[in-house]
Amino acid sequence: MLKGLKTVALAALVAGSATLAAAQDFTLRATANSNENDEDYDGLVVFKNYVEAASNGRIAVELFIGTQLCATGAECLEGVSEGSIDIYISTSGGAAGIFPYVQVLDLPYLMADDRVAEAVLQGDFVRTMRDMALETSGDTVRLMTVGNTGGWRNFANTQRRVQGPDDMDGLKIRTVVADLPQELVRAMGASPTPIPWPELFTSFQTGVVEGSKNGITDIMGMKFPDAGLQYVTLDGHAYMGALWWMSNENFMAMPEDMRRVVVDGFYQLQQATFASPKRKSIQAYEDFVAGGGDLYVPTPEEKAAFAEAALPVQEWFRGNVDGGNEILDALIAAVAEAEADLAADYESDLN
């Protein structure tokens, strides 16, 4: 997909670099294929405000929310590679066609909670993924940070309460086209059914699918309970990572002080996207229950049964995804370090 784009991007960079250097004026075009109610938009607003202020106006940030610049992950990432789009946010599924190893973020039950996930995503694990993406793209696409878009993925369905993997048996669960989510659904004994996001509401109504793997803000934002989705199990099997990409050529064309401003801006963005789903989920959960929804929290034993059923997915990932061993080892090491640090913090804070 990215073959040959590095040369095109470099030529464009050389042609425009003299003007940029003379004007000391940089405009970043940032796009998110979502809407203004989404965590991605919240993050971009914080990024724009910080970068424009911290650069004293030397950097302008233009926001394109929706599909004005591009419509699919492949199309948007091609724009980033070519340099026509400066910044783009994708889910792991949206980038998996080009960077298959980013699906490591969808591996179930590896990160236990927000504190672990946020520590991991602020450390060297993301730098490892950045280096891999730069190599894959021929140094044209740079991973700037990983935030959150929607909290945690949980199993939800229209049929019954799910307390353990046995209750998933036979359910038709909506997934994206990427292989890993389908492998997870199969491991639970359910049937994966790839359905485009805009068609999911109708698919619930007609019984084409009976369940999904989503966060509560997405469930309520799309009004899925009106289509029959009445059962949510808070198994928290995957942190909904948001991958923020930038044109590496356009980033490196900036002087170092402006690159620092951009890096700091992505830190501000990341923190905003960590916080936004937590706040928005409060009302979403209240509305779900008030509408008659069944919200179930698995016991530790039940969650352990989910995790055990999902173990084959890790082996599948190692054996079938290019770069799978390297990135999974990096994630496991990062989680272990984060958990050890947290244990030490609790020891100090609780005594």
Side-chain angles (χ1 to χ4, degrees):
M1 178 65 68
L2 301 179
K3 185 178 180 181
L5 295 180
K6 181 181 179 184
T7 302
V8 175
L10 184 58
L13 171 63
V14 171
S17 59
T19 302
L20 289 174
Q24 292 294 300
D25 184 19
F26 304 89
T27 299
L28 302 180
R29 290 157 54 91
T31 187
N33 298 152
S34 52
N35 58 63
E36 294 185 0
N37 296 317
D38 197 88
E39 295 86 357
D40 308 335
Y41 178 74
D42 294 344
L44 279 173
V45 169
V46 170
F47 177 83
K48 173 181 170 68
N49 179 73
Y50 177 86
V51 167
E52 291 182 344
S55 69
N56 287 317
R58 291 174 63 189
I59 302 175
V61 181
E62 297 179 350
L63 305 185
F64 298 85
I65 308 303
T67 56
Q68 300 172 68
L69 298 185
C70 55
T72 67
E75 181 185 356
C76 295
L77 286 167
E78 185 171 355
V80 173
S81 179
E82 293 173 341
S84 60
I85 296 171
D86 294 287
I87 296 164
Y88 168 64
I89 179 266
S90 77
T91 61
S92 53
I98 298 171
F99 308 111
Y101 39 82
V102 301
Q103 294 179 90
V104 72
L105 294 171
D106 289 331
L107 284 172
Y109 309 111
L110 285 176
M111 296 188 287
D113 55 33
D114 285 314
R115 292 193 70 178
V116 172
E118 290 170 11
V120 166
L121 297 179
Q122 293 180 84
D124 287 338
F125 165 73
V126 174
R127 296 183 180 96
T128 297
M129 188 179 286
R130 173 187 303 146
D131 291 343
M132 294 173 69
L134 283 169
E135 181 177 359
T136 300
S137 67
D139 285 334
T140 62
V141 180
R142 185 182 189 90
L143 179 64
M144 301 301 296
T145 193
V146 180
N148 185 258
T149 178
W152 291 81
R153 292 193 186 279
N154 298 299
F155 288 115
N157 77 95
T158 62
Q159 300 299 304
R160 56 183 176 267
R161 175 182 285 188
V162 170
Q163 297 182 215
D166 291 346
D167 296 325
M168 297 281 293
D169 189 46
L171 288 175
K172 294 177 288 186
I173 304 294
R174 181 262 176 180
T175 69
V176 296
V177 177
D179 291 332
L180 190 147
Q182 297 183 51
E183 290 297 323
L184 171 59
V185 169
R186 290 190 189 99
M188 295 295 168
S191 175
T193 307
I195 295 288
W197 182 250
E199 299 175 14
L200 188 49
F201 185 97
T202 302
S203 297
F204 284 137
Q205 285 183 315
T206 58
V208 172
V209 293
E210 299 164 319
S212 67
K213 296 164 11 68
N214 292 112
I216 191 65
T217 55
D218 285 338
I219 288 171
M220 298 308 294
M222 295 295 288
K223 302 185 185 301
F224 289 151
D226 293 345
L229 198 75
Q230 290 295 315
Y231 300 92
V232 173
T233 299
L234 298 180
D235 67 300
H237 56 267
Y239 188 78
M240 296 177 68
L243 298 124
W244 290 87
W245 308 95
M246 185 169 180
S247 163
N248 190 49
E249 280 80 3
N250 293 350
F251 175 73
M252 294 304 296
M254 293 179 169
E256 184 174 337
D257 60 335
M258 293 296 97
R259 295 202 303 272
R260 180 184 290 269
V261 168
V262 170
V263 167
D264 288 344
F266 275 109
Y267 171 81
Q268 301 287 340
L269 175 153
Q270 182 192 52
Q271 297 304 303
T273 67
F274 283 165
S276 183
K278 296 183 182 75
R279 179 181 62 80
K280 292 179 178 179
S281 67
I282 296 171
Q283 188 64 51
Y285 281 124
E286 290 179 357
D287 291 345
F288 179 75
V289 173
D294 183 88
L295 195 63
Y296 183 73
V297 180
T299 66
E301 293 77 17
E302 288 167 342
K303 190 160 183 178
F306 277 115
E308 184 176 358
L311 280 176
V313 183
Q314 290 190 33
E315 292 308 310
W316 175 90
F317 184 82
R318 289 187 181 278
N320 292 275
V321 174
D322 289 342
N325 276 318
E326 178 183 355
I327 199 65
L328 179 52
D329 287 344
L331 178 56
I332 290 172
V335 168
E337 180 179 355
E339 290 178 339
D341 289 344
L342 281 172
D345 290 344
Y346 280 127
E347 182 66 25
S348 298
D349 295 341
L350 298 178
N351 296 292

